[in-house]
Amino acid sequence: MPDSASALDFFQLFVPDNCIQNMVTQTNMYAKKFQERFGSDEGWCPVTAQEMKAFLGFVISTSVHRCESVLSIWSSGFFSNRSIALKMSQSRFEKILKYFHIVAFRPSQGSNQGLYKIQPFLDSLQQSFSCTFRPSQTQVLHEPLIDEDPVFITTCTERELRKRKKRKFSLWVRQCTSTGFICQISVHLKEGQGIDALSALKNKPQLHSLVAKQLCQNISGKNTIIFTGPSITNLSLFTEFSKQDIFCCGLLSTRKSDCTGLPQSMLVCTSTSAQRGQSRVMMKGGMSLISWYNKGHFRFLTNAYSPTKQGMIIKRKSGEIPCPLAVEAFAAHLSYICKYDDKYSKYFIFHKPNKTWQQVFWLSISIAINNAYILYKMSDAYSAKRYSRAQFGERLVRELLDLDDCSPTQ
């Protein structure tokens, strides 16, 4: 990308004009069909591509100003924003929001999946992620932090918690550990809507193995090293990946992991007291099972690192703690992803629609913007104008709204 590339140029690497034009076509088709069935809407006229860009800009602005209702832009309250509110009336925005669609009608074939209304957009987004960026050798499979998750909810007030609804889907990603770029996403609807629906989903190793295979289907034969959490780590999956030249390093948990085929002697805590940094290893072929002690037993399954090579974990209070190299690598790469998520999850779109497919859409748009900013920081454009993530988001909003002054506020 040239040094003159704008925030919109980077965003349109993932959401190009033809994608926006499809939103225009499908929205107009849905509005026409809706009015044929339920009666004409006198205030409606077909949406244009310029209006659709402005519509996206208004919703994306909630990630910059952190207001949960996009309609606050036209209010007289704290989150009002007259500088962009003049670009479109509130009534026109609400009309577009009412009819907005990615896929207006259920397809005749292959329509049994619940995400058919957004699947073409997800497929297009995935292809653009793959074509635009080549990630580092080390990547991680995990569920990114989003603001409905328990870790984030602890910071919310009781009133905000009552307003929030539990997500009806789970989102998994394959993420580059060197840059934070999300290379691939996988969305699954939750089967149950009861109190235990989320816990039931997390205790299904076959589902997590399926998710891992979907996320890694494009990296066979590239000698990639994948880091996984306890819900994905299992011997059968790692063995299958090794045949595809995908190497793994995962944390094991006797409660969350599928421990089939692993020696029980390594999964139980020994009666003798262990010292910090002490480890035991068992091997079978190229696979190693490591039990490492640091105020508790931590177990790792890997075929990516030699169990004989030693590493070091540096703690601020405890100093240096010896460990196998696999443990050091796992801790280093996962800590970067945690810092990345803590920083960039603050810029997810705050607009929360009721429909599940729209929730997935705006979340995927948030991921696309974060990926666009990562590419911006790696390009010559960042040397020309060093925008922060907040400034980049605000600039993108103004460019989508086609405002004359596109410089972000300080």
Side-chain angles (χ1 to χ4, degrees):
M1 299 290 283
D3 57 7
S4 59
S6 65
L8 183 59
D9 291 333
F10 285 96
F11 176 68
Q12 293 210 291
L13 290 172
F14 310 123
V15 187
D17 283 332
N18 63 340
C19 185
I20 294 175
Q21 185 58 50
N22 179 68
M23 297 177 196
V24 171
T25 303
Q26 296 294 323
T27 298
N28 288 332
M29 288 172 59
Y30 179 80
K32 181 180 178 181
K33 192 70 175 179
F34 184 93
Q35 292 173 51
E36 287 176 356
R37 183 175 181 183
F38 298 104
S40 62
D41 187 342
E42 298 298 334
W44 172 257
C45 62
V47 67
T48 65
Q50 186 176 2
E51 284 182 313
M52 186 58 71
K53 282 187 177 182
F55 172 77
L56 294 175
F58 281 121
V59 180
I60 291 171
S61 71
T62 63
S63 67
V64 180
H65 303 293
R66 310 192 70 180
C67 57
E68 288 206 0
S69 174
V70 66
L71 300 181
S72 300
I73 294 171
W74 293 274
S75 71
S76 57
F78 180 79
F79 290 110
S80 64
N81 192 336
R82 302 302 299 173
S83 63
I84 65 174
L86 298 175
K87 198 67 181 178
M88 180 185 291
S89 67
Q90 180 177 342
S91 60
R92 179 57 176 167
F93 175 86
E94 290 184 286
K95 289 293 183 184
I96 299 174
L97 183 63
K98 177 182 178 180
Y99 296 118
F100 176 69
H101 266 73
I102 306 296
V103 175
F105 309 113
R106 183 185 292 270
S108 57
Q109 296 180 347
S111 59
N112 55 346
Q113 60 165 330
L115 292 172
Y116 75 92
K117 285 192 174 184
I118 193 179
Q119 196 60 53
F121 176 77
L122 294 178
D123 293 340
S124 171
L125 199 64
Q126 181 53 60
Q127 185 177 6
S128 63
F129 286 171
S130 301
C131 295
T132 308
F133 181 76
R134 186 174 65 185
S136 66
Q137 183 188 26
T138 53
Q139 297 163 41
V140 62
L141 308 183
H142 73 119
E143 287 184 281
L145 179 67
I146 16 186
D147 59 352
E148 287 91 346
D149 289 337
V151 175
F152 195 96
I153 278 183
T154 56
T155 64
C156 298
T157 64
E158 185 178 349
R159 182 169 177 269
E160 288 173 326
L161 283 176
R162 287 199 299 267
K163 289 166 55 181
R164 292 183 186 275
K165 297 181 180 179
K166 281 191 174 181
R167 285 184 290 115
K168 297 179 182 179
F169 64 93
S170 61
L171 174 75
W172 294 78
V173 303
R174 175 166 55 85
Q175 192 167 8
C176 171
T177 62
S178 297
T179 61
F181 188 95
I182 291 179
C183 310
Q184 190 160 347
I185 59 178
S186 178
V187 181
H188 287 268
L189 295 178
K190 297 179 180 178
E191 296 177 351
Q193 304 304 328
I195 298 175
D196 297 325
L198 185 63
S199 60
L201 181 72
K202 289 184 178 295
N203 289 327
K204 292 185 176 179
Q206 69 276 15
L207 173 62
H208 294 145
S209 293
L210 174 65
V211 169
K213 292 174 185 178
Q214 289 177 346
L215 290 173
C216 296
Q217 60 186 350
N218 297 327
I219 59 174
S220 298
K222 296 182 179 180
N223 291 322
T224 305
I225 297 176
I226 295 295
F227 295 93
T228 63
S231 60
I232 292 180
T233 302
N234 68 78
L235 180 61
S236 175
L237 179 67
F238 282 17
T239 302
E240 185 176 340
F241 275 170
S242 65
K243 296 175 183 178
Q244 304 172 34
D245 289 334
I246 301 173
F247 301 95
C248 307
C249 180
L251 180 65
L252 270 173
S253 166
T254 53
R255 186 170 59 90
K256 294 182 179 181
S257 303
D258 179 4
C259 297
T260 304
L262 299 176
Q264 289 298 312
S265 60
M266 291 289 288
L267 302 177
V268 296
C269 299
T270 57
S271 56
T272 58
S273 59
Q275 296 181 348
R276 294 187 69 178
Q278 191 174 2
S279 61
R280 295 185 298 142
V281 178
M282 287 190 70
M283 291 186 65
K284 184 178 181 180
M287 199 73 66
S288 303
L289 177 57
I290 300 170
S291 176
W292 177 68
Y293 184 82
N294 179 28
K295 292 185 178 180
H297 290 276
F298 295 87
R299 298 170 182 87
F300 297 85
L301 186 67
T302 182
N303 61 352
Y305 297 93
S306 168
T308 61
K309 291 187 178 180
Q310 289 296 305
M312 194 75 66
I313 290 181
I314 301 175
K315 297 286 186 180
R316 187 175 299 174
K317 294 182 179 180
S318 310
E320 296 182 348
I321 304 173
C323 65
L325 182 60
V327 178
E328 178 188 343
F330 184 91
H333 292 295
L334 266 292
S335 65
Y336 175 83
I337 292 299
C338 289
K339 290 177 182 177
Y340 170 88
D341 283 346
D342 288 344
K343 180 178 180 181
Y344 287 107
S345 63
K346 295 185 297 184
Y347 299 104
F348 279 6
I349 291 169
F350 269 56
H351 172 65
K352 296 295 181 290
N354 290 324
K355 294 180 179 178
T356 299
W357 74 265
Q358 291 185 5
Q359 294 173 14
V360 175
F361 173 77
W362 293 116
L363 182 56
S364 59
I365 287 288
S366 298
I367 291 174
I369 297 172
N370 281 341
N371 277 355
Y373 182 68
I374 290 169
L375 297 188
Y376 162 72
K377 287 195 70 174
M378 298 172 67
S379 72
D380 293 336
Y382 184 69
S383 301
K385 294 182 179 179
R386 303 175 69 87
Y387 290 124
S388 66
R389 173 61 182 84
Q391 290 174 324
F392 181 86
E394 187 170 344
R395 183 175 178 86
L396 174 61
V397 168
R398 298 185 70 85
E399 289 173 2
L400 284 168
L401 293 170
D402 195 23
L403 295 173
D404 293 332
D405 178 18
C406 289
S407 60
T409 57
Q410 298 301 317

